[in-house]
Amino acid sequence: MKSYIVVGMGRFGSEVARQLHQLRCEVIAMDISDELIQQVAPYVTHAVVGDAQDKQVLRALSVKDMDCAIIAIGDDLAASVLVTMNMKELGVPYVICKAHDATYRKVLEKLGADRVIIPEQEQAQRLAKSLSTPNVLDYIELSDECGIIEMPVPESWLGKDLRQLNVRAKLGVSILAVRRNGKMQMSLSPDTAFIKGDVLVVLGDNQALRKVQKL
């Protein structure tokens, strides 16, 4: 089971914490506001009122044993900087920060954040990507080179299974899941055959994904 600490229970942080817990991850939610912590407490593993700018508080929570820290303070650069530095110094292997804008992003990256996100900007990019490509239902950018798309199954794939299509060797992509009749199927066998109405979740580099979209 993966473990996360999410610092900052605003709209973004609380939603991330809830979603991770729904995915059966261990989640520590942390904020200086008792009111916000009470609101999120039923939906996470542990809810803690505390100041992540205090390294001793983080040490007491054994954050070094967590898989990832998510700093969702966002609007307070000074606090984000100090919390990020604390997490890295205490040995958290992967630190994700929410940033208010590109300037915040540059500062946090220089201080060692492994990933910095600007939620509004990333959501806008996803929307623009999906709208500009007719057969892409959603797009998630993993890096400048690769991403994940949701797309309807190509007609030429109907009735064929993963073994026959051999998409990894032929196209350089991986089929992560299939949404069928409103349900997501994650464990796909080589015998999984596609039917009309399937929605595929496809991982690959951008060049390979463009090839798949043209099928």
Side-chain angles (χ1 to χ4, degrees), residues 30 32 51-55 58 73 76 78-80 82-83 86:
M30 187 176 188
I32 58 174
D51 189 353
Q53 296 178 78
D54 187 337
K55 192 183 295 185
L58 296 178
I73 302 170
D76 188 339
S80 294
L82 185 53
V83 176
N86 285 345

Side-chain angles (χ1 to χ4, degrees), residues 1-6 9 13 16-22 24-29 43-47 66:
M1 178 187 295
K2 292 239 176 187
S3 56
Y4 299 83
I5 179 168
V6 184
M9 290 297 106
V16 169
R18 291 171 192 243
Q19 293 290 341
L20 287 171
H21 191 251
Q22 286 180 9
R24 299 183 180 179
C25 299
E26 179 184 354
V27 180
I28 296 177
Y43 309 103
V44 297
T45 312
H46 303 288
M66 310 298 288

Side-chain angles (χ1 to χ4, degrees), residues 36-51:
L36 292 177
I37 285 298
Q38 287 183 20
Q39 290 175 6
V40 79
Y43 309 103
V44 297
T45 312
H46 303 288
V48 178
V49 177
D51 189 353

